[in-house]
Amino acid sequence: MRYLPVFGILLATLFAPAARAQPASMPHNVVLFVADGLRARMVDDATAPTMAAIARDGVNLRNGHALFPTFTTANASAMATGHMLGDTGDFSNTIYTGFEVPGAGKSMTPFLESDPVLGDVDEHFGGNYLNEATILKLAREKGYSTATIGKLGPALVFDPTERSGNETIVVDDSTGSARGIPLASDVIERLKAASLPLAAPPRGVNAAAGNMSIPGTSSANAIQQDYFASVATRVVLPAFKTRNKPFVLVFWSRDPDGTQHNQGDSLNELVPGINGPTSLAAIRNADDDLARIRSALDELGLLDTTDMIVTADHGFSTISKESSTSATVKMKFADVLEGHLPVGFVALDLAQALNLPLLDPDDGYRSIGEGRHPRLGNGLVGGDRSNPKIVVAANGGSDLIYIP
């Protein structure tokens, strides 16, 4: 087994001209494991022993960095296509699309971590919102088996235009629901044979984000990710083994990102922040899933012919929501601590500074009045629903500002 951290090597390995290949050799398989929101310096033998071992045994890229900290779909688009954000247009998790997206409740500022939303933007933008071929599309066109498993949104970004389920296997949060990508009949039978549900479980207590008076979660995303890891190791990899073809498997672990967002170890405090026990449990959760995949490859006799790439889309930091300069800290909100920034503070500040009205695209385009903030942080500043002067696509502190 080889460990390859560089996507240029991956693309060259998969799609080199046939004349360069050794006639008797079988192309290697590829497993791309993405630990969402993992900080590289947190990887050691105590915190993430499987990742640490792979780093020692393989090639360890020490100077890797996100294209856009810290947004998942933006970095996923680069991993999936090898292209920069100016080519794909996937500038962040929430973007301004210029049309009302059905899957996002007709919002013009949709959150892209959604299978229906990705389908809507694909349809609107010429059938492929990325405007580039993805590695899974290229791989399956070369005869590889392909699958993408894990976190809703980035998992599908690796093959967003294949929505039948018959070519690329897609298993994410929406699997088994009306909003998910369907499963092929052979995958359904294998799930049944493995006594695994046909629908992905929810995050459960891990989804509890808390609020200004109630702490968030104290549990890693164990239940949901146990399902994803079981599907990968007990269904997908055995199926690929039976097909006797090279394959590319993407496993996008929601942890540690999801748990770090919701961790309840430090309510309204900066310490321990994301260095607390809940976040550490999330890192170990991702590491355990990686270990399961590696063990399954070994048991199936695929380890020596599989290249494993272990990476993260971005890092993570503990942030303060306090401000001494934003006009919004002087306002009163029922769900915000005094002196802290509300959701949508960028849109609120711009609207106040420019003395322009503010509409909420995620709440029926209602006007934002005194003591209220945009529901999801997005805002249309000035103009009207059809012709806003400024659009703010909120992304948790690094908001995008559009001048249509």
Side-chain angles (χ1 to χ4, degrees), residues 53 143 164 204 206 238 255 284 343:
S164 71
N206 180 257
D255 264 348
R284 177 56 69 92
V343 171

Side-chain angles (χ1 to χ4, degrees), residues 5 23 28 113 129 139 143 153 176 185 202 208-209 218 243 261 299 302 325 328 333 359 361:
H28 272 217
E113 292 182 13
Y129 88 102
S185 57
S218 59
R243 293 180 189 178
H261 273 292
E299 292 168 4
L302 298 170
T325 57
T328 59
F333 302 94
L359 302 180

